[in-house]
Amino acid sequence: MEKCRFKYISVSSIDSSIKIEEFNQTKVIYLEDLEKRKEAYGICGECNEPGTGENWCQLCNAKRFKENFKNWTSGNKNIDELIQYSQLNSLYCLKCLEWLPFEKFQNVTYITRGGFGKIYSAEWPEGSIRYWDIENQKWYRYADSKVALKSFDFLNEIKSYLQIYIQGIVHCYGITQDPNTKDYMMVLDYCENGNLRNFYLNRPYDNLKIYRLSRIVNGLLNIHNAGKVHKDFHSDNILEGGTMYISDLGMCQPVNNEEESDTKGVYGVLPYMAPEVLRNHQYTQAADIYSLGIVMNEFLSEEIPFNDVPHDHTLAIDICKGLRPKIPEHIPKIFVDLIMKCWDTKAENRPTAKELYQILTKLDNERWNKDNEIYSQMNEYEKIRENKLKNRPKVNKSKSIKTHPQAIYTSRLLNFKNLLELTNSSDLSSFQVNSDTVIPSESTNLITECLDYKI
């Protein structure tokens, strides 16, 4: 019997809209063109039907998984049902969860505590499922993997991993349980370079910043394409593991979530939170874009936002009045414009993730063309940055940064009362910017200008 052979193509335009409760309907739409499936993925060596993903036949694998349901249980009905649902409906391996007994992991080591639980690193000798080996009648796995184990309280985060197209998002392989604490834990990709802040603080040279920003925006775009908002977007939740990944989807919810309440405060990291969110307005995708603007400035300036002041009611008031982090003078003008547009006080003035991704992709292409201004701007930016760093002591800078004792960068519940009405962010006095920085007016069509960017 011929072994399954498949070739991978991007399915972001289809898969990014998947919602668990509508999965079957979405699947039918995606699978209806049999000839395209055959061309893209080949023919299954067992059922002779076109594949549904890279080395993947949904029909055959669903039968295999179902036959194995009787051989495992997490001890929790809801978790069992979620894992089984993913296995029966996965169109490719990265949408397939497993129940993974804790003894499968070795050298489990505590890393840190995030906003939603403890995080550990671990070695996984067996590794994750990649495809069914017809010849040997067993799952082929990526052996000797390193993973992160993260405790969780709610299944919402795991559902989000299933509902969002995987590109740019930390992948979830399954669920395990700590036998000592009885905590359930997600098994996630391990990103060896840590979060964005540790990455930029300990990297002496980096000429790929536009590319990295485009990958961050691509991850956020996939969240938004799935009809969701992240709700806790900051540099600690962006990881580097060969490329950029967005993590911590514990707060991720559908846009216009009717269950969202404005009476108990909001959850997040104050310097990254949009002013309308601080005032308990409904969280929108534009609020994620505001947070992205703060992240973008932090990444390019390599300065932690508001690290020298308490993260308290006074800072919340100042943010609502228009206060934003300082934009250093060496950041290229095109990024100054984008950053300020992202953190505009008026949500309707902020660009969408799609618009930002188009702009950054275009700029990344122009970055390497010596005839374009962006090439010289980025080279000058790197020279200034390199000069600032050349005398830096060879120590872990992330450990040497001094912050105010009341500057808190882990997610927490915030409930500020009587915040001021939102202030027009185009007011020059609202920003800590340099005198040669041009502030776009309310009428400036910045996104059109950036998309038509010609040097």
Side-chain angles (χ1 to χ4, degrees), residues 48-49 69 72 117 122 170 176 188-189 201 206 225 261 284 329 332 338 340 361 383 426 443 448:
N48 293 319
E49 292 292 327
F69 285 172
W72 62 268
V170 171
T176 188
L188 303 164
D189 270 326
L201 287 177
D206 184 9
N225 279 346
S261 172
T284 65
E329 60 183 6
L338 285 178
M340 295 181 66
T361 300
K383 288 179 182 178
S426 63
S443 61
T448 300

Side-chain angles (χ1 to χ4, degrees), residues 40-107:
Y41 302 123
I43 298 295
C44 174
E46 292 184 312
C47 67
N48 293 319
E49 292 292 327
T52 59
E54 182 184 9
N55 294 329
W56 200 264
C57 176
Q58 186 265 340
L59 180 63
C60 293
N61 289 337
K63 293 178 180 177
R64 268 184 283 272
F65 283 126
K66 188 173 183 178
E67 291 172 357
N68 193 46
F69 285 172
K70 62 182 180 294
N71 296 325
W72 62 268
T73 180
S74 68
N76 180 292
K77 180 182 178 182
N78 292 330
I79 291 177
D80 285 355
E81 289 180 350
L82 180 61
I83 293 174
Q84 291 170 4
Y85 190 89
S86 76
Q87 292 180 349
L88 292 176
N89 292 281
S90 57
L91 299 180
Y92 53 103
C93 65
L94 297 181
K95 290 298 182 183
C96 170
L97 300 175
E98 289 186 271
W99 171 249
L100 299 164
F102 198 77
E103 57 267 22
K104 289 183 177 290
F105 303 102
Q106 299 177 359
N107 298 323

Side-chain angles (χ1 to χ4, degrees), residues 126-267:
E126 184 181 50
S128 61
I129 286 175
R130 281 300 179 260
Y131 61 84
W132 180 256
D133 184 341
I134 296 177
E135 183 178 346
N136 296 305
Q137 288 294 294
K138 65 179 183 179
W139 291 111
Y140 175 82
R141 295 175 174 269
Y142 279 177
D144 300 320
S145 302
K146 190 169 185 178
V147 293
L149 307 180
K150 177 186 173 185
S151 58
F152 67 96
D153 294 321
F154 306 103
L155 288 178
N156 175 69
E157 181 166 7
I158 301 174
K159 289 180 181 179
S160 294
Y161 284 107
L162 293 177
Q163 295 165 344
I164 299 168
Y165 177 53
I166 194 65
Q167 192 175 67
I169 308 296
V170 171
H171 179 55
C172 181
Y173 296 105
I175 304 174
T176 188
Q177 184 179 33
D178 187 324
N180 296 319
T181 65
K182 304 303 180 184
D183 290 339
Y184 286 101
M185 310 174 83
M186 292 180 292
V187 181
L188 303 164
D189 270 326
Y190 178 81
C191 295
E192 63 274 12
N193 291 319
N195 63 42
L196 183 66
R197 183 173 301 143
N198 288 331
F199 179 71
Y200 73 68
L201 287 177
N202 293 291
R203 193 174 185 86
Y205 181 75
D206 184 9
N207 64 351
L208 296 176
K209 288 216 167 187
I210 302 180
Y211 170 75
R212 299 189 201 286
L213 284 172
S214 73
R215 303 324 301 162
I216 294 171
V217 174
N218 180 246
L220 187 60
L221 174 60
N222 284 319
I223 292 173
H224 288 184
N225 279 346
K228 290 180 173 289
V229 287
H230 188 282
K231 297 191 70 176
D232 193 27
F233 195 76
H234 53 83
S235 59
D236 279 359
N237 286 344
I238 302 169
L239 306 178
E240 209 291 330
T243 186
M244 312 307 297
Y245 296 98
I246 295 175
S247 66
D248 280 10
L249 304 183
M251 291 290 292
C252 195
Q253 291 181 348
V255 174
N256 299 323
N257 181 20
E258 295 181 355
E259 296 180 0
E260 187 176 15
S261 172
D262 62 357
T263 61
K264 298 180 181 179
V266 291
Y267 201 86

Side-chain angles (χ1 to χ4, degrees), residues 295-359:
V295 167
M296 191 182 300
N297 184 59
E298 177 181 359
F299 185 45
L300 293 170
S301 69
E302 301 187 350
E303 298 292 337
I304 304 173
F306 300 128
N307 70 318
D308 57 348
V309 296
H311 294 178
D312 57 10
H313 188 265
T314 299
L315 177 59
I317 291 175
D318 289 341
I319 290 173
C320 288
K321 290 171 63 177
L323 179 67
R324 303 293 184 266
K326 180 180 178 180
I327 303 177
E329 60 183 6
H330 67 285
I331 292 182
K333 171 64 167 58
I334 185 64
F335 290 108
V336 174
D337 291 344
L338 285 178
I339 290 167
M340 295 181 66
K341 195 68 175 177
C342 286
W343 67 30
D344 195 297
T345 295
K346 294 183 178 180
E348 61 269 23
N349 291 341
R350 300 169 198 160
T352 65
K354 181 179 180 180
E355 290 169 335
L356 287 170
Y357 180 67
Q358 292 172 338
I359 293 168

